[in-house]
Amino acid sequence: AGGGRMIDRLRKWYYNAAGFNKLGLMRDDTLHEDDDVKEALKRLPEHLYNERVFRIKRALDLSLKHQILPKDQWVKYEEDHPYLEPYLKEVIRERREREAWNKK
């Protein structure tokens, strides 16, 4: 149990050290947009897509101004949820299935 807490503290430290949360971004906002991610984004419900676009635009604006959000507005490790992950997993599964089918 002690080792698990240490790993969790290390994860939280790394999450904060990465810095994207200080711009109001979530982890899934920082994914490289390859073909799989682009397809997953198309499948997002409109409200999740709009929230993502808002966070990214705000982060770009802050970055251009060399600013960060006030600490009370940073995305906390516990609040960051993988909103894109289920859609991305589905896209990857479908792509692999197509690739396997095409090899036959």
Side-chain angles (χ1 to χ4, degrees):
R5 278 182 276 183
M6 181 63 168
I7 290 172
D8 197 42
R9 277 186 278 181
L10 184 60
R11 285 183 181 143
K12 287 180 184 180
W13 173 85
Y14 184 77
Y15 182 86
N16 286 314
F20 57 82
N21 65 321
K22 297 172 186 169
L23 297 172
L25 294 172
M26 299 176 90
R27 190 175 314 123
D28 281 359
D29 297 334
T30 66
L31 292 174
H32 173 71
E33 289 191 22
D34 60 13
D35 291 339
D36 290 339
V37 172
K38 287 177 185 176
E39 180 59 34
L41 288 171
K42 290 178 187 176
R43 298 179 185 195
L44 273 178
E46 188 176 358
H47 75 281
L48 290 177
Y49 181 79
N50 290 338
E51 290 169 4
R52 172 190 169 89
V53 169
F54 171 79
R55 288 190 302 271
I56 291 172
K57 285 183 177 183
R58 178 179 57 185
L60 286 170
D61 184 55
L62 288 166
S63 182
L64 287 171
K65 294 175 182 177
H66 300 283
Q67 297 176 347
I68 60 171
L69 289 170
K71 192 166 187 169
D72 64 329
Q73 294 180 33
W74 293 2
V75 177
K76 294 170 187 59
Y77 175 81
E78 297 80 14
E79 296 170 352
D80 192 332
H81 59 282
Y83 67 91
L84 189 59
E85 186 177 315
Y87 302 95
L88 185 57
K89 284 182 177 179
E90 181 181 325
V91 167
I92 291 169
R93 182 189 55 75
E94 290 172 2
R95 178 180 48 79
R96 288 182 177 157
E97 196 174 284
R98 259 191 322 277
E99 290 170 352
W101 179 261
N102 290 335
K103 285 182 182 178
K104 290 182 180 182

